[in-house]
Amino acid sequence: MTAFPGEWRPRTDSSVPLFEQLRLRIVHLVDDGGLPSGQRLPAVRALATELDVAPHTVARAYKELEAAAIVETRGRNGTVILPRDDRRKSLSEAASAYAAAARAGGVSLAEAVRLLTAAYRDQG
């Protein structure tokens, strides 16, 4: 396996923000097993230098991945890929919060599903 990011580079001619391209690339690699649980990602500055992007671009991608429970930042020990069970737990908690908010707002299950589907499509 080639070390991350390998030959991949963000496309500056894309309308997708650079941090989002990086976030999506990491999600894809995690889903495909290219970045296994426990794998340490490069440090923010090192990856920014390698990808020729600003450090805040990498930091933003890592922050978004952490919010989605795909990675965990462990201070000096770096940022690592979390096991799938941890991600599912986080998603389950988010789904419960969404369901509670929808129910409290008087939204039907069908409408809540339509809203979630639209939001999911907007992310991809």
Side-chain angles (χ1 to χ4, degrees), residues 98-99 102-103 106-119 121:
Y98 175 70
R103 186 176 293 248
V107 174
S108 71
L109 175 60
E111 182 61 19
V113 169
R114 278 192 293 276
L115 291 168
L116 179 60
T117 300
R121 285 185 185 139

Side-chain angles (χ1 to χ4, degrees), residues 8-120:
W8 180 85
R9 298 293 179 265
R11 294 185 44 198
T12 56
D13 61 342
S14 173
S15 63
V16 177
L18 297 175
F19 82 89
E20 182 65 5
Q21 291 179 50
L22 177 57
R23 185 192 73 80
L24 290 170
R25 177 64 179 166
I26 292 171
V27 167
H28 175 76
L29 288 170
V30 168
D31 287 346
D32 285 355
L35 287 173
S37 172
Q39 171 94 24
R40 186 174 171 184
L41 294 176
V44 168
R45 284 193 171 96
L47 186 55
T49 298
E50 187 169 349
L51 296 177
D52 195 26
V53 298
H56 76 269
T57 299
V58 176
R60 171 88 185 266
Y62 281 12
K63 181 179 176 183
E64 299 276 334
L65 291 164
E66 190 161 18
I70 293 171
V71 302
E72 178 179 71
T73 301
R74 299 177 178 167
R76 291 182 180 255
N77 293 322
T79 301
V80 297
I81 304 298
L82 288 174
R84 184 172 288 282
D85 290 344
D86 289 355
R87 292 193 305 273
R88 289 194 190 277
K89 181 181 178 201
S90 176
L91 285 174
S92 179
E93 290 169 357
S96 292
Y98 175 70
R103 186 176 293 248
V107 174
S108 71
L109 175 60
E111 182 61 19
V113 169
R114 278 192 293 276
L115 291 168
L116 179 60
T117 300
Y120 194 86

